[in-house]
PDB file of all heavy atoms in Angstrom:
ATOM      1  N   ASP A   1       0.816  -1.225  -0.034  1.00  0.00           N
ATOM      2  CA  ASP A   1       0.042  -0.013  -0.032  1.00  0.00           C
ATOM      3  C   ASP A   1       0.887   1.293  -0.025  1.00  0.00           C
ATOM      4  O   ASP A   1       1.611   1.533   0.882  1.00  0.00           O
ATOM      5  CB  ASP A   1      -0.884   0.010   1.250  1.00  0.00           C
ATOM      6  CG  ASP A   1      -1.869   1.156   1.349  1.00  0.00           C
ATOM      7  OD1 ASP A   1      -1.953   2.018   0.437  1.00  0.00           O
ATOM      8  OD2 ASP A   1      -2.569   1.310   2.373  1.00  0.00           O
ATOM      9  N   SER A   2       0.930   2.026  -1.065  1.00  0.00           N
ATOM     10  CA  SER A   2       1.683   3.214  -1.212  1.00  0.00           C
ATOM     11  C   SER A   2       0.876   4.286  -1.869  1.00  0.00           C
ATOM     12  O   SER A   2       0.171   4.056  -2.779  1.00  0.00           O
ATOM     13  CB  SER A   2       2.963   2.919  -2.085  1.00  0.00           C
ATOM     14  OG  SER A   2       3.659   4.096  -2.133  1.00  0.00           O
ATOM     15  N   THR A   3       1.094   5.583  -1.186  1.00  0.00           N
ATOM     16  CA  THR A   3       0.225   6.667  -1.748  1.00  0.00           C
ATOM     17  C   THR A   3       1.417   7.691  -1.991  1.00  0.00           C
ATOM     18  O   THR A   3       2.196   8.005  -1.162  1.00  0.00           O
ATOM     19  CB  THR A   3      -0.818   7.235  -0.747  1.00  0.00           C
ATOM     20  OG1 THR A   3      -1.633   6.253  -0.565  1.00  0.00           O
ATOM     21  CG2 THR A   3      -1.364   8.442  -1.253  1.00  0.00           C
ATOM     22  N   LEU A   4       1.332   8.311  -3.216  1.00  0.00           N
ATOM     23  CA  LEU A   4       2.252   9.387  -3.610  1.00  0.00           C
ATOM     24  C   LEU A   4       1.490  10.653  -3.839  1.00  0.00           C
ATOM     25  O   LEU A   4       0.523  10.691  -4.727  1.00  0.00           O
ATOM     26  CB  LEU A   4       3.043   8.980  -4.827  1.00  0.00           C
ATOM     27  CG  LEU A   4       3.907  10.131  -5.433  1.00  0.00           C
ATOM     28  CD1 LEU A   4       5.002  10.592  -4.435  1.00  0.00           C
ATOM     29  CD2 LEU A   4       4.497   9.590  -6.726  1.00  0.00           C
ATOM     30  N   VAL A   5       1.781  11.740  -3.086  1.00  0.00           N
ATOM     31  CA  VAL A   5       1.190  12.978  -3.269  1.00  0.00           C
ATOM     32  C   VAL A   5       2.336  14.006  -3.884  1.00  0.00           C
ATOM     33  O   VAL A   5       3.260  14.168  -3.211  1.00  0.00           O
ATOM     34  CB  VAL A   5       0.665  13.604  -1.989  1.00  0.00           C
ATOM     35  CG1 VAL A   5       0.094  15.001  -2.101  1.00  0.00           C
ATOM     36  CG2 VAL A   5      -0.421  12.699  -1.300  1.00  0.00           C
ATOM     37  N   VAL A   6       2.065  14.436  -5.175  1.00  0.00           N
ATOM     38  CA  VAL A   6       3.015  15.350  -5.757  1.00  0.00           C
ATOM     39  C   VAL A   6       2.508  16.704  -5.404  1.00  0.00           C
ATOM     40  O   VAL A   6       1.282  16.984  -5.837  1.00  0.00           O
ATOM     41  CB  VAL A   6       3.212  15.027  -7.279  1.00  0.00           C
ATOM     42  CG1 VAL A   6       4.107  16.049  -7.812  1.00  0.00           C
ATOM     43  CG2 VAL A   6       3.709  13.669  -7.370  1.00  0.00           C
ATOM     44  N   VAL A   7       3.336  17.547  -4.795  1.00  0.00           N
ATOM     45  CA  VAL A   7       2.930  18.953  -4.463  1.00  0.00           C
ATOM     46  C   VAL A   7       3.355  19.822  -5.635  1.00  0.00           C
ATOM     47  O   VAL A   7       4.582  19.990  -5.777  1.00  0.00           O
ATOM     48  CB  VAL A   7       3.540  19.346  -3.164  1.00  0.00           C
ATOM     49  CG1 VAL A   7       2.888  20.756  -2.907  1.00  0.00           C
ATOM     50  CG2 VAL A   7       3.087  18.410  -2.105  1.00  0.00           C
ATOM     51  N   LYS A   8       2.491  20.347  -6.334  1.00  0.00           N
ATOM     52  CA  LYS A   8       2.785  21.205  -7.457  1.00  0.00           C
ATOM     53  C   LYS A   8       3.336  22.577  -7.049  1.00  0.00           C
ATOM     54  O   LYS A   8       2.862  23.169  -6.139  1.00  0.00           O
ATOM     55  CB  LYS A   8       1.490  21.553  -8.365  1.00  0.00           C
ATOM     56  CG  LYS A   8       0.954  20.136  -8.984  1.00  0.00           C
ATOM     57  CD  LYS A   8      -0.099  20.355  -9.964  1.00  0.00           C
ATOM     58  CE  LYS A   8      -0.734  19.195 -10.569  1.00  0.00           C
ATOM     59  NZ  LYS A   8       0.224  18.383 -11.270  1.00  0.00           N
ATOM     60  N   ASN A   9       4.252  22.941  -7.788  1.00  0.00           N
ATOM     61  CA  ASN A   9       4.963  24.323  -7.608  1.00  0.00           C
ATOM     62  C   ASN A   9       5.783  24.322  -6.339  1.00  0.00           C
ATOM     63  O   ASN A   9       6.198  25.372  -5.849  1.00  0.00           O
ATOM     64  CB  ASN A   9       3.889  25.440  -7.499  1.00  0.00           C
ATOM     65  CG  ASN A   9       3.045  25.485  -8.778  1.00  0.00           C
ATOM     66  OD1 ASN A   9       3.646  25.453  -9.919  1.00  0.00           O
ATOM     67  ND2 ASN A   9       1.894  25.722  -8.649  1.00  0.00           N
ATOM     68  N   ALA A  10       6.025  23.177  -5.785  1.00  0.00           N
ATOM     69  CA  ALA A  10       6.785  23.237  -4.448  1.00  0.00           C
ATOM     70  C   ALA A  10       8.187  22.576  -4.689  1.00  0.00           C
ATOM     71  O   ALA A  10       8.425  21.730  -5.409  1.00  0.00           O
ATOM     72  CB  ALA A  10       6.063  22.140  -3.422  1.00  0.00           C
ATOM     73  N   GLY A  11       9.121  23.212  -3.904  1.00  0.00           N
ATOM     74  CA  GLY A  11      10.463  22.767  -3.767  1.00  0.00           C
ATOM     75  C   GLY A  11      10.631  21.897  -2.538  1.00  0.00           C
ATOM     76  O   GLY A  11       9.719  21.352  -1.936  1.00  0.00           O
ATOM     77  N   HIS A  12      11.810  21.633  -2.120  1.00  0.00           N
ATOM     78  CA  HIS A  12      12.116  20.871  -0.908  1.00  0.00           C
ATOM     79  C   HIS A  12      11.417  21.545   0.272  1.00  0.00           C
ATOM     80  O   HIS A  12      11.649  22.782   0.481  1.00  0.00           O
ATOM     81  CB  HIS A  12      13.682  20.752  -0.760  1.00  0.00           C
ATOM     82  CG  HIS A  12      14.029  19.666   0.230  1.00  0.00           C
ATOM     83  ND1 HIS A  12      13.960  18.357  -0.095  1.00  0.00           N
ATOM     84  CD2 HIS A  12      14.433  19.805   1.552  1.00  0.00           C
ATOM     85  CE1 HIS A  12      14.360  17.630   0.994  1.00  0.00           C
ATOM     86  NE2 HIS A  12      14.602  18.523   1.939  1.00  0.00           N
ATOM     87  N   GLY A  13      10.839  20.819   1.045  1.00  0.00           N
ATOM     88  CA  GLY A  13      10.165  21.420   2.298  1.00  0.00           C
ATOM     89  C   GLY A  13       8.902  22.146   1.982  1.00  0.00           C
ATOM     90  O   GLY A  13       8.311  22.816   2.754  1.00  0.00           O
ATOM     91  N   PHE A  14       8.307  21.840   0.699  1.00  0.00           N
ATOM     92  CA  PHE A  14       7.136  22.436   0.313  1.00  0.00           C
ATOM     93  C   PHE A  14       7.176  24.016   0.250  1.00  0.00           C
ATOM     94  O   PHE A  14       6.250  24.620   0.545  1.00  0.00           O
ATOM     95  CB  PHE A  14       5.889  21.951   1.099  1.00  0.00           C
ATOM     96  CG  PHE A  14       6.027  20.459   1.247  1.00  0.00           C
ATOM     97  CD1 PHE A  14       6.017  19.834   2.521  1.00  0.00           C
ATOM     98  CD2 PHE A  14       5.970  19.692   0.095  1.00  0.00           C
ATOM     99  CE1 PHE A  14       6.080  18.500   2.625  1.00  0.00           C
ATOM    100  CE2 PHE A  14       6.107  18.237   0.153  1.00  0.00           C
ATOM    101  CZ  PHE A  14       6.039  17.610   1.515  1.00  0.00           C
ATOM    102  N   ARG A  15       8.400  24.493  -0.012  1.00  0.00           N
ATOM    103  CA  ARG A  15       8.415  25.932  -0.089  1.00  0.00           C
ATOM    104  C   ARG A  15       8.084  26.271  -1.590  1.00  0.00           C
ATOM    105  O   ARG A  15       8.358  25.541  -2.544  1.00  0.00           O
ATOM    106  CB  ARG A  15       9.918  26.302   0.021  1.00  0.00           C
ATOM    107  CG  ARG A  15      10.394  26.121   1.488  1.00  0.00           C
ATOM    108  CD  ARG A  15      11.894  26.617   1.603  1.00  0.00           C
ATOM    109  NE  ARG A  15      12.310  26.220   2.940  1.00  0.00           N
ATOM    110  CZ  ARG A  15      13.062  25.030   3.191  1.00  0.00           C
ATOM    111  NH1 ARG A  15      13.259  24.262   2.172  1.00  0.00           N
ATOM    112  NH2 ARG A  15      13.389  24.846   4.391  1.00  0.00           N
ATOM    113  N   GLY A  16       7.329  27.290  -1.731  1.00  0.00           N
ATOM    114  CA  GLY A  16       6.839  27.803  -2.951  1.00  0.00           C
ATOM    115  C   GLY A  16       5.692  28.543  -2.818  1.00  0.00           C
ATOM    116  O   GLY A  16       4.952  28.522  -1.696  1.00  0.00           O
ATOM    117  N   ARG A  17       5.339  29.506  -3.783  1.00  0.00           N
ATOM    118  CA  ARG A  17       4.238  30.359  -3.591  1.00  0.00           C
ATOM    119  C   ARG A  17       2.873  29.792  -3.620  1.00  0.00           C
ATOM    120  O   ARG A  17       2.073  29.677  -2.686  1.00  0.00           O
ATOM    121  CB  ARG A  17       4.341  31.514  -4.572  1.00  0.00           C
ATOM    122  CG  ARG A  17       4.268  32.775  -3.829  1.00  0.00           C
ATOM    123  CD  ARG A  17       4.451  33.833  -4.796  1.00  0.00           C
ATOM    124  NE  ARG A  17       5.230  34.736  -3.879  1.00  0.00           N
ATOM    125  CZ  ARG A  17       5.258  35.969  -3.906  1.00  0.00           C
ATOM    126  NH1 ARG A  17       4.455  36.578  -4.698  1.00  0.00           N
ATOM    127  NH2 ARG A  17       5.830  36.696  -3.084  1.00  0.00           N
ATOM    128  N   SER A  18       2.518  29.252  -4.697  1.00  0.00           N
ATOM    129  CA  SER A  18       1.115  28.675  -4.948  1.00  0.00           C
ATOM    130  C   SER A  18       1.150  27.243  -5.045  1.00  0.00           C
ATOM    131  O   SER A  18       0.871  26.632  -6.068  1.00  0.00           O
ATOM    132  CB  SER A  18       0.480  29.331  -6.178  1.00  0.00           C
ATOM    133  OG  SER A  18       1.342  29.071  -7.366  1.00  0.00           O
ATOM    134  N   ILE A  19       1.500  26.535  -3.974  1.00  0.00           N
ATOM    135  CA  ILE A  19       1.669  25.168  -3.857  1.00  0.00           C
ATOM    136  C   ILE A  19       0.349  24.422  -3.830  1.00  0.00           C
ATOM    137  O   ILE A  19      -0.556  24.983  -3.299  1.00  0.00           O
ATOM    138  CB  ILE A  19       2.615  24.634  -2.773  1.00  0.00           C
ATOM    139  CG1 ILE A  19       2.080  24.813  -1.550  1.00  0.00           C
ATOM    140  CG2 ILE A  19       4.004  25.100  -2.908  1.00  0.00           C
ATOM    141  CD1 ILE A  19       2.728  24.192  -0.277  1.00  0.00           C
ATOM    142  N   GLN A  20       0.151  23.380  -4.521  1.00  0.00           N
ATOM    143  CA  GLN A  20      -1.150  22.633  -4.638  1.00  0.00           C
ATOM    144  C   GLN A  20      -0.819  21.129  -4.378  1.00  0.00           C
ATOM    145  O   GLN A  20      -0.063  20.597  -5.154  1.00  0.00           O
ATOM    146  CB  GLN A  20      -1.849  22.865  -5.949  1.00  0.00           C
ATOM    147  CG  GLN A  20      -2.401  24.255  -6.076  1.00  0.00           C
ATOM    148  CD  GLN A  20      -3.399  24.568  -5.109  1.00  0.00           C
ATOM    149  OE1 GLN A  20      -4.203  23.759  -4.710  1.00  0.00           O
ATOM    150  NE2 GLN A  20      -3.478  25.834  -4.674  1.00  0.00           N
ATOM    151  N   PRO A  21      -1.333  20.473  -3.344  1.00  0.00           N
ATOM    152  CA  PRO A  21      -2.303  21.125  -2.425  1.00  0.00           C
ATOM    153  C   PRO A  21      -1.479  22.002  -1.447  1.00  0.00           C
ATOM    154  O   PRO A  21      -0.308  21.921  -1.282  1.00  0.00           O
ATOM    155  CB  PRO A  21      -2.828  19.820  -1.606  1.00  0.00           C
ATOM    156  CG  PRO A  21      -1.742  18.799  -1.806  1.00  0.00           C
ATOM    157  CD  PRO A  21      -1.169  19.116  -3.139  1.00  0.00           C
ATOM    158  N   ASN A  22      -2.231  22.884  -0.821  1.00  0.00           N
ATOM    159  CA  ASN A  22      -1.620  23.877   0.042  1.00  0.00           C
ATOM    160  C   ASN A  22      -1.055  23.238   1.352  1.00  0.00           C
ATOM    161  O   ASN A  22      -1.549  21.998   1.580  1.00  0.00           O
ATOM    162  CB  ASN A  22      -2.534  25.055   0.327  1.00  0.00           C
ATOM    163  CG  ASN A  22      -3.756  24.659   1.076  1.00  0.00           C
ATOM    164  OD1 ASN A  22      -3.708  23.804   1.961  1.00  0.00           O
ATOM    165  ND2 ASN A  22      -4.853  25.325   0.742  1.00  0.00           N
ATOM    166  N   PHE A  23      -0.392  23.851   2.157  1.00  0.00           N
ATOM    167  CA  PHE A  23       0.222  23.269   3.361  1.00  0.00           C
ATOM    168  C   PHE A  23      -0.812  22.638   4.196  1.00  0.00           C
ATOM    169  O   PHE A  23      -0.600  21.624   4.885  1.00  0.00           O
ATOM    170  CB  PHE A  23       1.184  24.211   4.034  1.00  0.00           C
ATOM    171  CG  PHE A  23       1.960  23.587   5.085  1.00  0.00           C
ATOM    172  CD1 PHE A  23       3.055  22.702   4.721  1.00  0.00           C
ATOM    173  CD2 PHE A  23       1.599  23.718   6.438  1.00  0.00           C
ATOM    174  CE1 PHE A  23       3.792  22.053   5.734  1.00  0.00           C
ATOM    175  CE2 PHE A  23       2.345  22.977   7.387  1.00  0.00           C
ATOM    176  CZ  PHE A  23       3.458  22.286   6.996  1.00  0.00           C
ATOM    177  N   ARG A  24      -2.006  23.348   4.465  1.00  0.00           N
ATOM    178  CA  ARG A  24      -3.001  22.876   5.351  1.00  0.00           C
ATOM    179  C   ARG A  24      -3.455  21.579   4.831  1.00  0.00           C
ATOM    180  O   ARG A  24      -3.805  20.614   5.552  1.00  0.00           O
ATOM    181  CB  ARG A  24      -4.036  23.945   5.438  1.00  0.00           C
ATOM    182  CG  ARG A  24      -5.088  23.534   6.431  1.00  0.00           C
ATOM    183  CD  ARG A  24      -6.053  24.686   6.743  1.00  0.00           C
ATOM    184  NE  ARG A  24      -5.330  25.684   7.634  1.00  0.00           N
ATOM    185  CZ  ARG A  24      -5.676  26.925   7.789  1.00  0.00           C
ATOM    186  NH1 ARG A  24      -6.743  27.394   7.235  1.00  0.00           N
ATOM    187  NH2 ARG A  24      -4.895  27.815   8.581  1.00  0.00           N
ATOM    188  N   LYS A  25      -3.690  21.477   3.553  1.00  0.00           N
ATOM    189  CA  LYS A  25      -4.298  20.192   2.924  1.00  0.00           C
ATOM    190  C   LYS A  25      -3.181  19.054   3.093  1.00  0.00           C
ATOM    191  O   LYS A  25      -3.565  17.899   3.350  1.00  0.00           O
ATOM    192  CB  LYS A  25      -4.664  20.397   1.456  1.00  0.00           C
ATOM    193  CG  LYS A  25      -5.933  21.111   1.311  1.00  0.00           C
ATOM    194  CD  LYS A  25      -6.377  21.270  -0.066  1.00  0.00           C
ATOM    195  CE  LYS A  25      -7.595  22.122  -0.199  1.00  0.00           C
ATOM    196  NZ  LYS A  25      -7.936  22.388  -1.667  1.00  0.00           N
ATOM    197  N   ILE A  26      -1.939  19.452   2.951  1.00  0.00           N
ATOM    198  CA  ILE A  26      -0.775  18.383   3.046  1.00  0.00           C
ATOM    199  C   ILE A  26      -0.865  17.925   4.509  1.00  0.00           C
ATOM    200  O   ILE A  26      -0.801  16.661   4.762  1.00  0.00           O
ATOM    201  CB  ILE A  26       0.569  19.062   2.729  1.00  0.00           C
ATOM    202  CG1 ILE A  26       0.705  19.406   1.235  1.00  0.00           C
ATOM    203  CG2 ILE A  26       1.663  18.067   3.191  1.00  0.00           C
ATOM    204  CD1 ILE A  26       1.831  20.162   0.964  1.00  0.00           C
ATOM    205  N   LEU A  27      -1.002  18.857   5.398  1.00  0.00           N
ATOM    206  CA  LEU A  27      -0.964  18.333   6.920  1.00  0.00           C
ATOM    207  C   LEU A  27      -2.250  17.604   7.184  1.00  0.00           C
ATOM    208  O   LEU A  27      -2.123  16.558   7.881  1.00  0.00           O
ATOM    209  CB  LEU A  27      -1.016  19.675   7.773  1.00  0.00           C
ATOM    210  CG  LEU A  27      -0.933  19.463   9.213  1.00  0.00           C
ATOM    211  CD1 LEU A  27       0.352  18.603   9.606  1.00  0.00           C
ATOM    212  CD2 LEU A  27      -0.977  20.717   9.954  1.00  0.00           C
ATOM    213  N   SER A  28      -3.301  17.938   6.568  1.00  0.00           N
ATOM    214  CA  SER A  28      -4.628  17.237   6.853  1.00  0.00           C
ATOM    215  C   SER A  28      -4.460  15.746   6.295  1.00  0.00           C
ATOM    216  O   SER A  28      -4.910  14.713   6.846  1.00  0.00           O
ATOM    217  CB  SER A  28      -5.742  17.838   6.090  1.00  0.00           C
ATOM    218  OG  SER A  28      -6.880  17.190   6.223  1.00  0.00           O
ATOM    219  N   LYS A  29      -3.852  15.650   5.060  1.00  0.00           N
ATOM    220  CA  LYS A  29      -3.583  14.314   4.456  1.00  0.00           C
ATOM    221  C   LYS A  29      -2.726  13.461   5.380  1.00  0.00           C
ATOM    222  O   LYS A  29      -2.905  12.237   5.566  1.00  0.00           O
ATOM    223  CB  LYS A  29      -3.014  14.399   3.086  1.00  0.00           C
ATOM    224  CG  LYS A  29      -3.879  14.784   1.922  1.00  0.00           C
ATOM    225  CD  LYS A  29      -3.200  14.932   0.680  1.00  0.00           C
ATOM    226  CE  LYS A  29      -4.010  15.442  -0.426  1.00  0.00           C
ATOM    227  NZ  LYS A  29      -4.960  14.409  -1.035  1.00  0.00           N
ATOM    228  N   THR A  30      -1.697  14.079   5.927  1.00  0.00           N
ATOM    229  CA  THR A  30      -0.684  13.331   6.737  1.00  0.00           C
ATOM    230  C   THR A  30      -1.426  12.994   8.025  1.00  0.00           C
ATOM    231  O   THR A  30      -1.235  11.857   8.442  1.00  0.00           O
ATOM    232  CB  THR A  30       0.426  14.317   7.145  1.00  0.00           C
ATOM    233  OG1 THR A  30       1.069  14.779   5.904  1.00  0.00           O
ATOM    234  CG2 THR A  30       1.455  13.575   7.958  1.00  0.00           C
ATOM    235  N   VAL A  31      -2.137  13.841   8.684  1.00  0.00           N
ATOM    236  CA  VAL A  31      -2.846  13.365   9.836  1.00  0.00           C
ATOM    237  C   VAL A  31      -3.848  12.244   9.684  1.00  0.00           C
ATOM    238  O   VAL A  31      -4.002  11.298  10.397  1.00  0.00           O
ATOM    239  CB  VAL A  31      -3.596  14.709  10.534  1.00  0.00           C
ATOM    240  CG1 VAL A  31      -4.505  14.211  11.724  1.00  0.00           C
ATOM    241  CG2 VAL A  31      -2.521  15.658  11.047  1.00  0.00           C
ATOM    242  N   ALA A  32      -4.618  12.398   8.604  1.00  0.00           N
ATOM    243  CA  ALA A  32      -5.533  11.362   8.260  1.00  0.00           C
ATOM    244  C   ALA A  32      -4.821   9.974   7.991  1.00  0.00           C
ATOM    245  O   ALA A  32      -5.400   9.016   8.391  1.00  0.00           O
ATOM    246  CB  ALA A  32      -6.379  11.916   6.980  1.00  0.00           C
ATOM    247  N   PHE A  33      -3.701  10.030   7.287  1.00  0.00           N
ATOM    248  CA  PHE A  33      -2.920   8.820   7.043  1.00  0.00           C
ATOM    249  C   PHE A  33      -2.564   8.134   8.381  1.00  0.00           C
ATOM    250  O   PHE A  33      -2.846   6.930   8.531  1.00  0.00           O
ATOM    251  CB  PHE A  33      -1.702   9.071   6.179  1.00  0.00           C
ATOM    252  CG  PHE A  33      -0.752   7.897   5.998  1.00  0.00           C
ATOM    253  CD1 PHE A  33      -1.071   6.973   5.109  1.00  0.00           C
ATOM    254  CD2 PHE A  33       0.298   7.827   6.731  1.00  0.00           C
ATOM    255  CE1 PHE A  33      -0.223   5.818   4.851  1.00  0.00           C
ATOM    256  CE2 PHE A  33       1.098   6.681   6.604  1.00  0.00           C
ATOM    257  CZ  PHE A  33       0.858   5.718   5.622  1.00  0.00           C
ATOM    258  N   PHE A  34      -2.017   8.937   9.269  1.00  0.00           N
ATOM    259  CA  PHE A  34      -1.616   8.395  10.587  1.00  0.00           C
ATOM    260  C   PHE A  34      -2.832   7.812  11.461  1.00  0.00           C
ATOM    261  O   PHE A  34      -2.684   6.791  12.131  1.00  0.00           O
ATOM    262  CB  PHE A  34      -0.773   9.363  11.312  1.00  0.00           C
ATOM    263  CG  PHE A  34       0.698   9.351  10.796  1.00  0.00           C
ATOM    264  CD1 PHE A  34       1.266  10.471  10.168  1.00  0.00           C
ATOM    265  CD2 PHE A  34       1.558   8.282  10.936  1.00  0.00           C
ATOM    266  CE1 PHE A  34       2.396  10.494   9.651  1.00  0.00           C
ATOM    267  CE2 PHE A  34       2.780   8.248  10.350  1.00  0.00           C
ATOM    268  CZ  PHE A  34       3.336   9.416   9.813  1.00  0.00           C
ATOM    269  N   LYS A  35      -3.900   8.590  11.376  1.00  0.00           N
ATOM    270  CA  LYS A  35      -5.007   8.209  12.166  1.00  0.00           C
ATOM    271  C   LYS A  35      -5.540   6.869  11.625  1.00  0.00           C
ATOM    272  O   LYS A  35      -5.917   5.920  12.339  1.00  0.00           O
ATOM    273  CB  LYS A  35      -6.162   9.254  12.161  1.00  0.00           C
ATOM    274  CG  LYS A  35      -6.023  10.383  13.050  1.00  0.00           C
ATOM    275  CD  LYS A  35      -7.169  11.240  12.968  1.00  0.00           C
ATOM    276  CE  LYS A  35      -7.050  12.442  13.959  1.00  0.00           C
ATOM    277  NZ  LYS A  35      -8.283  13.235  14.075  1.00  0.00           N
ATOM    278  N   GLU A  36      -5.624   6.698  10.374  1.00  0.00           N
ATOM    279  CA  GLU A  36      -6.156   5.534   9.774  1.00  0.00           C
ATOM    280  C   GLU A  36      -5.060   4.352   9.961  1.00  0.00           C
ATOM    281  O   GLU A  36      -5.586   3.261  10.283  1.00  0.00           O
ATOM    282  CB  GLU A  36      -6.393   5.684   8.243  1.00  0.00           C
ATOM    283  CG  GLU A  36      -7.015   4.481   7.605  1.00  0.00           C
ATOM    284  CD  GLU A  36      -7.439   4.671   6.189  1.00  0.00           C
ATOM    285  OE1 GLU A  36      -7.635   5.796   5.788  1.00  0.00           O
ATOM    286  OE2 GLU A  36      -7.349   3.705   5.465  1.00  0.00           O
ATOM    287  N   GLU A  37      -3.881   4.559   9.746  1.00  0.00           N
ATOM    288  CA  GLU A  37      -2.949   3.425   9.838  1.00  0.00           C
ATOM    289  C   GLU A  37      -2.635   3.117  11.242  1.00  0.00           C
ATOM    290  O   GLU A  37      -2.327   1.918  11.563  1.00  0.00           O
ATOM    291  CB  GLU A  37      -1.657   3.893   9.013  1.00  0.00           C
ATOM    292  CG  GLU A  37      -1.961   3.909   7.581  1.00  0.00           C
ATOM    293  CD  GLU A  37      -2.761   2.784   6.887  1.00  0.00           C
ATOM    294  OE1 GLU A  37      -2.458   1.671   7.360  1.00  0.00           O
ATOM    295  OE2 GLU A  37      -3.395   3.100   6.067  1.00  0.00           O
ATOM    296  N   LEU A  38      -2.495   4.139  12.202  1.00  0.00           N
ATOM    297  CA  LEU A  38      -2.139   3.830  13.513  1.00  0.00           C
ATOM    298  C   LEU A  38      -3.255   3.559  14.595  1.00  0.00           C
ATOM    299  O   LEU A  38      -3.130   2.893  15.480  1.00  0.00           O
ATOM    300  CB  LEU A  38      -1.250   4.961  14.012  1.00  0.00           C
ATOM    301  CG  LEU A  38       0.098   5.136  13.366  1.00  0.00           C
ATOM    302  CD1 LEU A  38       0.875   6.393  13.885  1.00  0.00           C
ATOM    303  CD2 LEU A  38       0.939   3.933  13.371  1.00  0.00           C
ATOM    304  N   GLN A  39      -4.362   4.295  14.264  1.00  0.00           N
ATOM    305  CA  GLN A  39      -5.551   4.245  15.167  1.00  0.00           C
ATOM    306  C   GLN A  39      -6.670   3.356  14.488  1.00  0.00           C
ATOM    307  O   GLN A  39      -7.617   3.059  15.183  1.00  0.00           O
ATOM    308  CB  GLN A  39      -6.080   5.582  15.411  1.00  0.00           C
ATOM    309  CG  GLN A  39      -5.035   6.338  16.208  1.00  0.00           C
ATOM    310  CD  GLN A  39      -5.535   7.849  16.529  1.00  0.00           C
ATOM    311  OE1 GLN A  39      -6.448   8.294  15.840  1.00  0.00           O
ATOM    312  NE2 GLN A  39      -5.001   8.437  17.557  1.00  0.00           N
ATOM    313  N   GLY A  40      -6.598   3.180  13.170  1.00  0.00           N
ATOM    314  CA  GLY A  40      -7.636   2.418  12.516  1.00  0.00           C
ATOM    315  C   GLY A  40      -8.936   3.224  12.466  1.00  0.00           C
ATOM    316  O   GLY A  40      -9.984   2.633  12.114  1.00  0.00           O
ATOM    317  N   THR A  41      -8.841   4.528  12.471  1.00  0.00           N
ATOM    318  CA  THR A  41      -9.997   5.435  12.118  1.00  0.00           C
ATOM    319  C   THR A  41      -9.800   6.125  10.895  1.00  0.00           C
ATOM    320  O   THR A  41      -8.882   6.733  10.693  1.00  0.00           O
ATOM    321  CB  THR A  41     -10.226   6.339  13.402  1.00  0.00           C
ATOM    322  OG1 THR A  41      -9.005   7.170  13.462  1.00  0.00           O
ATOM    323  CG2 THR A  41     -10.419   5.651  14.702  1.00  0.00           C
TER     324      THR A  41
END
């Protein structure tokens, strides 16, 4: 099971002006991944 999220317009560390998904969405995807995989929710 592998998921790849490519952040458009972003450099290393997700630096960049109009990155997509934006940092809030990236953080949300990360939290959702850990909740599902570690907590099963």
Side-chain angles (χ1 to χ4, degrees):
D1 181 6
S2 178
T3 302
L4 173 61
V5 176
V6 177
V7 183
K8 295 189 183 300
N9 304 315
H12 194 75
F14 312 122
R15 293 180 188 95
R17 231 172 220 219
S18 57
I19 65 172
Q20 289 297 325
N22 65 36
F23 189 75
R24 187 169 284 165
K25 287 182 183 176
I26 293 169
L27 185 57
S28 179
K29 284 178 182 284
T30 305
V31 169
F33 175 81
F34 282 113
K35 280 186 175 182
E36 185 174 334
E37 299 307 328
L38 298 178
Q39 297 176 340
T41 57

